[in-house]
Amino acid sequence: MTASVSTTRTSRGKLASTLDESQLAEITELFAQRRKGFSLEAPFYTDPAIFKVEMEAIFGTHWLFAASIAEVPEPGDYVTLDYGPHSLIVLRTDDGGVNVLHNVCRHRGARVLTAASGSTGNVVCGYHSWTYDSEGNLIHASSPGEIDFDKSCFALKRAHGRVVGGLIFVSIAEEPPTDFDEVSAIFGPYIAPHDLARTKVAYQQDIIEEGNWKLVMENNRECYHCDGHPELACSLFPTWGLTDELVPPHLEEVWERNTAAKAALEERCARYGLPFEVIEELDTRIAGIRISRESLDGEGESFSPDGRRLSKKLLGDLRDFRLGRCSMHLQPNSWFHFQSDHVITFGAYPINEHQTLVRTTWLVADDAVEGVDYDLEKLTHTWKQTNIQDKAFVELCQQGAGSPAYQQGPYMKSEYQVEAFINWYTQRVLEHLA
Ligand code: FES
């Protein structure tokens, strides 16, 4: 597909007030001189000033995955989302949409909602009980003897929210990138058959990785390290990301199995009218994406030791368990696996320049019964183990980036998606700093 790049607002926002001109010039130079095909220089993973730039140029500008609607199934349900200095309330509305509000009280700035999730009518600050409606309007702020003031000037600040196939995306930019409309249209046909509106959360796991958020994403974009994922390699072909000429001798048999499974999956997708083509625009559009439907090993149904289903209930109106996985990725911080029997969402949320929260959520059909239709431990085993292994890899790299001996190393051909992620990242930051 031809890339279509729309423009986004490019201003230094608050950076000019938090970093001095010489710091900004130095950082701009570092980005501009990025050596293509090589890992980033150490400060990208360790420097708090670069983290500040990223919080504005990346996380303050682009669309981020926040949650699925299964996490906020009823009106009034909410989740809070924290990254860097930001905290958002994602609130389900009566009409099935979402409102996204900055979680910063307009009285004296307290966090308004402190739980990770819950349900509320009005939004009440716990400090002096200023009360906001679901739109963020201030509706109650009384104090004995207080003169009246114009409450309409003190609503919670709003951010943007979009629901795409049951996934909630947010942006705190004044004018978020407009090519997300095109991306939504691409994603829709792939994920709609899984009908997230009829799913529920089976399990959610938050882990804090002692590593910069980019190391988390770099690790996610390649399978060069998949020998380190014995559980995952039972179902996910460890040849992911390779082409014919790149297959090492020890994976030739796996490659042949993958090729046969791919052909069978494509025939099945054609029969059911499911899209499977790879659409890869990781660094050729503002909202960098990759989506495809790919075969799984063994029975080809799910992320289990033998590839068999992990929940007995098919999602949505799907008619076949053997549909591999729809794999979806959105820059800068999310990736997804849609199987016939369950969905897994992943979001990486930076805490600071050396820590990242990784949130993994397993969704099953809303009528699936734990212990009857699925075993929670079996459902979550493969990716719980994979997450632990990935956390260790990320942390090893963070330790290395902090060493005076660290030097940039070359990406292998099979790491082309890591290179694309870094391309996307440096382009977006340079646009912002321009
Ligand atoms: Fe929220 Fe005072 S800071 S009511």
Side-chain angles (χ1 to χ4, degrees), residues 273-293:
L274 298 172
F276 57 83
E277 298 83 2
V278 179
I279 298 176
E280 188 170 277
E281 301 177 39
L282 289 164
D283 57 354
T284 49
R285 65 158 62 244
I286 301 289
I289 60 163
R290 187 181 194 279
I291 192 163
S292 63
R293 185 172 287 279

Side-chain angles (χ1 to χ4, degrees), residues 255-409:
W255 180 255
E256 279 175 29
R257 219 165 50 239
N258 186 8
T259 303
K262 182 172 180 282
L265 176 67
E266 290 178 1
E267 184 276 324
R268 219 169 284 118
C269 287
R271 193 188 321 154
Y272 298 124
L274 298 172
F276 57 83
E277 298 83 2
V278 179
I279 298 176
E280 188 170 277
E281 301 177 39
L282 289 164
D283 57 354
T284 49
R285 65 158 62 244
I286 301 289
I289 60 163
R290 187 181 194 279
I291 192 163
S292 63
R293 185 172 287 279
E294 297 171 4
S295 50
L296 290 172
D297 207 352
E299 292 299 312
E301 297 179 348
S302 207
F303 285 116
S304 59
D306 56 6
R308 285 183 198 278
R309 68 202 67 166
L310 288 164
S311 172
K312 293 176 187 167
K313 298 278 186 178
L314 280 167
L315 298 181
D317 295 321
L318 294 172
R319 288 179 284 153
D320 198 323
F321 278 99
R322 206 169 181 187
L323 296 174
R325 61 170 185 135
C326 171
S327 165
M328 180 174 133
H329 176 85
L330 175 69
Q331 315 278 37
N333 77 324
S334 57
W335 65 98
F336 308 84
H337 299 298
F338 298 80
Q339 292 70 239
S340 59
D341 63 338
H342 75 289
V343 172
I344 318 176
T345 69
F346 300 81
Y349 304 101
I351 297 168
N352 52 44
E353 68 279 4
H354 58 84
Q355 290 182 309
T356 306
L357 171 78
V358 176
R359 176 165 293 159
T360 308
T361 309
W362 286 259
L363 308 175
V364 294
D366 57 6
D367 60 348
V369 178
E370 185 183 345
V372 177
D373 297 310
Y374 67 95
D375 178 298
L376 189 59
E377 196 46 47
K378 288 179 180 167
L379 179 78
T380 56
H381 180 72
T382 295
W383 274 101
K384 273 187 183 169
Q385 292 303 110
T386 304
N387 282 348
I388 290 168
Q389 293 147 4
D390 281 333
K391 172 178 157 68
F393 290 134
V394 166
E395 293 179 354
L396 289 172
C397 286
Q398 184 69 31
Q399 287 162 15
S403 164
Y406 174 83
Q407 210 173 344
Q408 294 166 277

Side-chain angles (χ1 to χ4, degrees), residues 104-112 124-132:
V104 181
C105 185
R106 292 299 308 280
H107 177 215
R108 282 168 51 197
R111 282 276 188 275
V112 183
V124 183
C125 178
Y127 198 175
H128 312 94
S129 302
W130 278 31
T131 302
Y132 306 87

Side-chain angles (χ1 to χ4, degrees), residues 230-244:
E231 295 83 5
L232 183 63
C234 292
S235 49
L236 187 136
F237 287 105
T239 48
W240 187 79
L242 297 183
T243 52
D244 225 347

Side-chain angles (χ1 to χ4, degrees), residues 45 85 115 147 149 155 157-158 168 221 225 229 261 308 361 369:
Y45 305 112
I147 55 166
F149 65 100
K157 292 185 179 174
R158 295 286 296 258
I168 301 168
R221 288 297 84 200
H225 70 279
H229 292 314
R308 285 183 198 278
T361 309
V369 178

Side-chain angles (χ1 to χ4, degrees), residues 5 8 31 34 36 54 57-64 177 179 213-214 217 281-289 329-333 416-432:
V5 179
T8 184
F31 275 91
R34 187 237 152 182
K36 291 223 168 200
E54 294 170 344
I58 301 292
F59 286 84
T61 300
H62 294 278
W63 288 97
L64 309 176
D179 76 330
W213 68 276
K214 296 187 293 302
M217 300 312 297
E281 301 177 39
L282 289 164
D283 57 354
T284 49
R285 65 158 62 244
I286 301 289
I289 60 163
H329 176 85
L330 175 69
Q331 315 278 37
N333 77 324
Y416 77 97
Q417 291 190 42
V418 182
E419 167 73 7
F421 165 65
I422 297 299
N423 277 341
W424 178 89
Y425 159 78
T426 50
Q427 284 173 40
R428 298 291 83 80
V429 173
L430 281 170
E431 282 169 5
H432 191 84

